[in-house]
Each structure stands twice: as C-alpha cells, then as structure tokens.
Amino acid sequence: MANIEETRWIALPDGTRLAARIWWPEAETAGDGPYPAVLEYLPYRRRDGTAERDEATYPAFAAAGIVGIRVDSRGQGDSEGFFDDEYSPQELADCCDVIAWIAAQDWSNGAVGMMGISWGGFNGLQVAAMRPPALKAVISIASSADRYADDIHFKGGCLLGAKIAWAGTMLSYTSRPPDPESAGPGWREIWRRRLEAMPAILDTWLSRQRRDEYWRHGSICEDWGAIQCPVFAISGWADGYRNTPAALARHLKAPVKAMTGPWVHLYPHFAAPEPRADFLSMAIDWWRQWLVGEARGVETWPAYRAWLAESPRPDGDRSVEAGRWVGTDWPSKRVENVVLMLGADGRFGSAKGPRRIASPESCGIMGGAFFTQSTQSDQPGDQRRDDALSTCWEGEVLTEPLDLLGRAELHLTATPDRSHGHLIARLVDLHPDGAARLIALGTLNLAQRGGHATPEPMMPGEPVAIHMKLDEMGYRLLPGHWLRLALSTAYWPMIQPAPAPLSLLVEDVRLVLPRLTGAVEAPPPAPNGPAPLPSFPRETPASAGRRAVLDLDSGATTYIRESDTGRVVHPGHGMIKNETARETWRIDPGNPAGASGHLVFTTLRERGAWKAETQVEIRFTAHAESYRAEIDLSAETGGETFATRRWSLSIPRDLG
C-alpha cells in the first residue's frame, strides 16, 4: 500500500522549483525507514500525462518499502522554469540536483535508483554516466545509447519522418498549461511566459545533420566506461528502440542485465503483444538488491534474455505471439555467423554477378511506424508490396527451424549514378502462402558510409564498399518458411527521401546472419492476472489507424496516420485530458524532392469551468537542397485565443 503526496516542491540551486508526486510506503507494512527511492524524471506531466501508468507501478514499489518519486522536468507540467531541449545539459544537471535532494532527506537511506521508458530511460543512462554519488542503479526501458544514428532523428544517418512528428508532439506537450490546482491563480502568467519562451526544436534538430558534438552529448556509446552503477535494460522487438539492451550487455563493464520481449513501446507488465513479463517483481528485486543490499539473486539472471517469435503472421490479430524465451551470455558463444553469398539470379549462395537497385520513392508504406504504441496500426504490414518495389534475394525452403539472435550484417560493392542517396535493407520471413513478415531493418545514408561525423559524397560511376548492420532481432523461422533479403533505395514515409532518386549497381553481396544454437529456455516471471493499468473513466473511446491512398492518374501516394486518446477523466482530481494527432504525408513520383508532410496535434485539459486547448500544425517539405517547415502554435482558454506563435524554417541539406 502507499500514501500519495500529490505535490512536493523540490528547490534547485538556482531557485527554480520542480513539482514531484511521491508514493510513500506505509509504516505498518514497510517499517519506519529509512527508505531507498526510485526517481522517474521526464516532461510528461505527473498529474495527468502519466498518471495511469504511474498508478500501475509505484504503489507496488511503496508496498515493497521503496519511495517512488515522479518529477516533471524544468518548464513541464507544474514545474517552474523553461524547457530548452531534450536531454540538455540543464535538464541533466537538474536531475543530479534532484538526486542529491532525495539522498539528503531524513527519510532516505541515501540510495537512489532511476527508472523510465523512452525519455526517462534515456536520461537514466545519461545521468548514470555523470555519476552522481547517490545514484546506485538504473532500469532503462526503450532507450538508446546513440542519440544520432539510433534514435528518432537520423536512423543510420537517414532523416526519419518521426523526427518531424516528434518535434510537433514535444511542442504540443510543452505548450500545455500548468494545473491551476497546483500553480494557483498565477497559472495564466506562467503559461504565457512558457509559450513565449518555447523554442522551435525542429530548427535545432534539422540544422545538425551529421554526428557532431550536439548529438555526442548524451550518447553513452561515446564512453561506455562512464556508467559504473548496475543497469537493467529492457526493450521490445516491435519497438524502434530495440538495439539498446544487447548493446549495453555487450559493452558495459558495470553489472548489467538485458531483456528484449515481443513488445511495442510500453512497460513490460502491460505491453503488447503478449506474453508480458512481471516487471514489478523483477524491478523490486533489482531495487532491493542494489539500493538496500538484500540478496535477491539478480546476479543469476541471464546476461541477455530474449523472446524468439515463431514466424508470426504479418496480418490479422497481433495481440499475442507464439514463441519462447531464451537466456544466454552476451556476446554469446551460442551465436555463430553464417555467411551467405547473394548472386545475380536472386538466390542465396549462387553465382556472382551485378544487380540493380532503383526503387520508386513510395517504397516503404508497409514499414509501419518507428515509434510504436499499437500492435495493429503501428506495426509493419505484409511486406509483399514493398518487396515488389525492391531488389530481392531468397534462400531455400527450410526443413528445420532457424533461430536468429543478434544483428545481421550486409557487405557489398555499389556503383551509384548520383553522389547521395539511401540504402535500406530488410530481412523478411516468407510464409508458405507467400505472406511476408518483416524480421529486421537496416538503413544507411550512403554519404555517411564511412562514419556519421564526416560525410563523403559518392562519385557517380565509381564503385564504393558498403557495410551496414541491421537492427537487433530475435526470431525463429519455422520449417516450410524461407528467408528473403530486400534492398531498396527508398523507404518512405519512415525515411524522408534523398535529394534525388538513386540507382545502384551492386555486386559481391554478402549477408552475415547470427544463428543461435542450443539456447537455454529462460522465461521471466509472468504477471498474475490481467494488465495492471487502472481503469480511468473514459467519456469517448480511443482510436488509431493508418491508410495509404494511391492516385491512379498522377501516381502520387498519400499516407495518413491518425490517433485519438479519447476523453479520459482522472478519478482523483477530475482533470479531463484528450490528445489527437494526424499525420498526412504525400509523395509524387514526378517530384520526389517535393515530398511533404502536414501534421496536426491537439491537446485538451478541462476541469469544471476551466478549459485549455492547444494546437500545433506543421507543414514540412523535403526539397532537393533544403528542408522547409511552417509551424503554427495556438493556445485557447475560456473559448478565446490566449496566445499564438509562428516559426518559418528553411534549412539547407548538409550534402557534405
């Protein structure tokens, strides 16, 4: 059980106050303390934004004698000050100050853990690398060790459409007002100053198109040895952030355990697709061992625990997957590299010879979303449509299962007809009826083939050596299935198009597969009962969907992605929240360098007679020589316009 303190103000050294929500252990069940504490520190509003998720986690921690502390970062929710950027030096310094504040409280045993998914998982790792003395352990879920090439910005150096959407989402989040119940009668002036100070972070993100000091900041892969406290890293194969657990297990010298399940971008105890894991019991064991010193046996967990899906369908109900959990050391002695030569006839292991890759710019509409929260609308669909627009190689029909765990690698020689372009690789499971399930994806900005910090344009007509890694995967292909490798020069709208269509002549193509043999089954504890998310009252249903429209006259393709959280009522303080998003992407084969996106994000906060709404609209175009964006922000309260902002961006492409 837990006692909840709705608002505790934490004063930073510069006088700024951050708002915290705290779950206290009850003395009857947890004793009088002192207690360890777990901090989750992020911008997503503790009172309404993450309230349901928090109620699924922190009461269990409090019942185990662990104080749970949810802090809104500077300029977010009810916290004072102004937001400047994601994972900024100010944000991370503030977090170190919060940790020191926690450790200095008379109820604290001096040991603090950090936990979070996505933003909270990122800054947990980044703060750990700063080594604040009281931070003793971290649980990082769905995060990245590389802010440039393996985040929502430039995957493999290629501009993600999700970056544009994420900039709009963050502008939408940050523009929401503080809660008048917490901020008091001055909430309007706080909101006005916040809106006036708000940066157009898309300008910052698009202006830095190569791996410079901006992106190295916060990328823990720059110095793996900086992290010295224990880390438990978790992700899901259906998430864009699937590479981090294996990377941490491979590189950290500190105690580390890694787990990757079948999940989208959600906590494991209420994630999908199933099976879920009992994250709460695992986290409590982790915290009690590293923050209290109790022997909980976490050192006996496998170095890397991974879910191997057994050839699931790419269509139909995807809420549950068949498969099994395996546990292994990492890097694993049970993984061997299988090298396959890919021939001119489109087969594995056949005679050498050149093949051409020149994909239509609309190739990729079955790729799903980078940032996934739905097992249906966000997941990759049947790959046959995109495969038909790609250059493919296939293996033989399997007569026995093939287990894959790790990252496939691709090596080839390519002769381009232009200086810039993209190469996208997909490993696909072909079912006996022809259905095609995406296993792993790799993307590379070919001008950054030698490194993301120093682009080197290709010389048309001159061959270049290409080496790329696909994402981490855990997968079992069943007998009767077979593998396909699909290569394309486009993957829209996930990847925004190159300056102009590219044609590549490729040869000496070699695929290296990580084959797993003899793995030991190692399932995590399973949750008891249904998903533990509380059921907050809902006035309107949630919805999400995507669709693509092909104009048969012009050949233009329009891709639409929509979501609506529905109107959700907080049962404690009565706040109603609702968020919607609509992304409309369009590409014309006659003008691929004019690919565009129109994105609209709305938020609502309402309680009784009080009502506040915001809308962010982005009109984005990827031209041959520049990226352009018009951004409009409007805020309303009481049915009247409260404030407006407009940004016009024109950012040259960095062509090296």
Side-chain angles (χ1 to χ4, degrees):
M1 300 297 292
N3 295 310
I4 301 176
E5 184 176 356
E6 284 294 328
T7 302
R8 168 72 68 95
W9 296 103
I10 300 174
L12 300 175
D14 68 357
T16 302
R17 298 186 308 163
L18 303 186
R21 192 175 188 220
I22 303 178
W23 288 257
W24 297 103
E26 292 187 344
E28 307 90 79
T29 56
D32 294 323
Y35 304 117
V38 171
L39 167 66
E40 188 174 1
Y41 168 77
L42 63 162
Y44 301 148
R45 300 175 63 100
R46 77 207 189 287
R47 291 256 293 167
D48 49 56
T50 64
E52 292 160 282
R53 187 177 86 190
D54 296 342
E55 291 300 333
T57 304
Y58 289 106
F61 288 3
I66 302 163
V67 177
I69 305 178
R70 251 292 282 117
V71 175
D72 288 339
S73 54
R74 182 183 291 250
Q76 303 284 358
D78 298 325
S79 289
E80 297 173 350
F82 303 113
F83 170 76
D84 57 357
D85 199 355
E86 61 179 12
Y87 325 123
S88 70
Q90 180 70 66
E91 176 187 319
L92 300 183
D94 288 349
C95 189
C96 290
D97 290 333
V98 170
I99 290 170
W101 178 88
I102 294 170
Q105 302 306 298
D106 56 10
W107 51 261
S108 170
N109 73 348
V112 180
M114 277 192 75
M115 181 189 80
I117 184 171
S118 202
W119 196 298
F122 269 81
N123 62 32
L125 295 176
Q126 294 165 11
V127 171
M130 299 171 72
R131 303 182 197 170
L135 183 61
K136 304 300 183 184
V138 167
I139 299 179
S140 180
I141 306 166
S143 61
S144 176
D146 185 343
R147 289 187 57 222
Y148 178 81
D150 198 25
D151 190 7
I152 204 166
H153 297 288
F154 294 98
K155 184 174 178 63
C158 304
L159 174 62
L160 284 166
K163 175 204 281 282
I164 317 304
W166 184 237
T169 301
M170 277 310 301
L171 197 57
S172 179
Y173 283 170
T174 308
S175 66
R176 291 175 291 184
D179 187 342
E181 280 194 357
S182 301
W187 70 270
R188 291 175 64 95
E189 185 58 26
I190 296 171
W191 191 21
R192 187 181 304 280
R193 294 200 308 270
R194 183 178 291 182
L195 292 169
E196 291 172 349
M198 193 172 303
I201 50 178
L202 183 59
D203 190 3
T204 301
W205 295 345
L206 277 179
S207 297
R208 294 167 170 87
Q209 297 167 37
R210 61 179 72 181
R211 187 188 178 86
D212 59 10
E213 184 57 36
Y214 175 83
W215 298 111
R216 288 193 291 270
H217 163 76
S219 292
I220 63 166
C221 62
E222 294 290 314
D223 181 8
W224 296 106
I227 294 181
Q228 297 185 352
C229 70
V231 174
F232 183 20
I234 304 170
S235 193
W237 297 128
D239 190 4
Y241 294 105
R242 72 198 69 187
N243 295 324
T244 306
L248 295 176
R250 179 181 295 273
H251 293 292
L252 289 191
K253 302 302 181 185
V256 58
K257 299 297 180 182
M259 179 171 72
T260 305
W263 312 303
V264 296
H265 196 81
L266 295 169
Y267 272 84
H269 52 313
F270 53 82
E274 297 185 38
R276 300 182 174 111
D278 187 1
F279 169 75
L280 297 178
S281 70
M282 298 180 78
I284 289 168
D285 285 342
W286 187 259
W287 300 133
R288 296 298 300 182
Q289 177 146 331
W290 297 117
L291 305 185
V292 181
E294 294 179 359
R296 291 294 188 118
V298 300
E299 72 281 356
T300 67
W301 296 355
Y304 188 25
R305 178 184 274 126
W307 173 257
L308 296 188
E310 294 185 344
S311 288
R313 298 283 306 178
D315 47 23
D317 182 4
R318 300 173 69 168
S319 60
V320 180
E321 278 189 2
R324 77 189 201 284
W325 289 96
V326 298
T328 183
D329 54 335
W330 201 255
S332 179
K333 303 179 185 65
R334 300 179 184 274
V335 174
E336 60 178 2
N337 287 333
V338 177
V339 181
L340 301 170
M341 301 304 298
L342 282 60
D345 62 353
R347 306 297 301 175
F348 292 175
S350 57
K352 293 183 178 181
R355 296 191 74 193
R356 187 164 296 280
I357 308 171
S359 306
E361 294 297 291
S362 61
C363 178
I365 65 170
M366 301 307 294
F370 174 85
F371 187 85
T372 58
Q373 293 188 296
S374 165
T375 57
Q376 297 297 120
S377 62
D378 288 347
Q379 289 304 291
D382 193 312
Q383 298 294 290
R384 282 179 283 191
R385 190 267 182 193
D386 289 339
D387 289 353
L389 304 179
S390 306
T391 300
C392 299
W393 290 261
E394 294 181 8
E396 300 296 330
V397 176
L398 296 172
T399 58
E400 58 185 28
L402 172 63
D403 289 345
L404 300 172
L405 184 63
R407 302 187 75 162
E409 297 187 15
L410 181 66
H411 305 262
L412 56 84
T413 300
T415 302
D417 70 340
R418 296 185 185 274
S419 58
H420 292 78
H422 302 145
L423 181 63
I424 291 85
R426 291 177 292 112
L427 197 61
V428 177
D429 170 13
L430 293 177
H431 290 238
D433 65 355
R437 167 84 180 214
L438 181 64
I439 302 173
L441 172 70
T443 66
L444 180 63
N445 177 343
L446 292 175
Q448 297 183 9
R449 64 196 179 279
H452 298 301
T454 54
E456 181 184 357
M458 301 177 291
M459 293 296 293
E462 294 189 8
V464 294
I466 305 296
H467 167 231
M468 64 186 297
K469 289 186 177 181
L470 280 66
D471 288 332
E472 294 281 351
M473 58 182 167
Y475 202 87
R476 164 169 278 200
L477 286 99
L478 296 176
H481 293 234
W482 66 101
L483 272 176
R484 170 182 286 163
L485 176 72
L487 299 185
S488 63
T489 52
Y491 204 60
W492 176 90
M494 179 181 287
I495 301 296
Q496 293 300 289
L502 172 71
S503 176
L504 292 172
L505 193 66
V506 300
E507 54 189 331
D508 300 325
V509 184
R510 180 162 49 96
L511 176 66
V512 183
L513 296 175
R515 182 170 64 187
L516 175 69
T517 58
V520 177
E521 293 205 16
N528 292 321
L533 275 175
S535 180
F536 281 17
R538 191 175 289 276
E539 294 184 347
T540 59
S543 62
R546 58 177 172 163
R547 63 187 184 275
V549 180
L550 173 63
D551 186 322
L552 294 176
D553 291 327
S554 68
T557 300
T558 302
Y559 183 98
I560 301 167
R561 184 174 180 229
E562 297 175 295
S563 65
D564 185 337
T565 65
R567 287 171 57 92
V568 181
V569 184
H570 191 289
H573 53 68
M575 175 80 80
I576 297 172
K577 67 175 183 178
N578 185 205
E579 273 118 35
T580 70
R582 178 183 172 92
E583 302 175 33
T584 304
W585 300 92
R586 188 178 188 276
I587 197 163
D588 185 338
N591 182 28
S596 64
H598 181 207
L599 302 88
V600 180
F601 306 88
T602 71
T603 72
L604 164 73
R605 291 299 183 272
E606 184 178 356
R607 182 193 291 115
W610 176 78
K611 184 177 182 181
E613 298 175 274
T614 68
Q615 177 174 290
V616 173
E617 182 175 7
I618 299 178
R619 294 168 298 281
F620 172 81
T621 309
H623 293 284
E625 297 181 352
S626 66
Y627 299 117
R628 301 176 193 173
E630 297 289 331
I631 307 172
D632 285 297
L633 164 66
S634 63
E636 295 183 1
T637 185
E640 297 181 352
T641 298
F642 180 74
T644 61
R645 294 285 307 274
R646 166 166 281 194
W647 297 267
S648 294
L649 311 179
S650 181
I651 300 169
R653 284 190 189 246
D654 183 350
L655 300 178

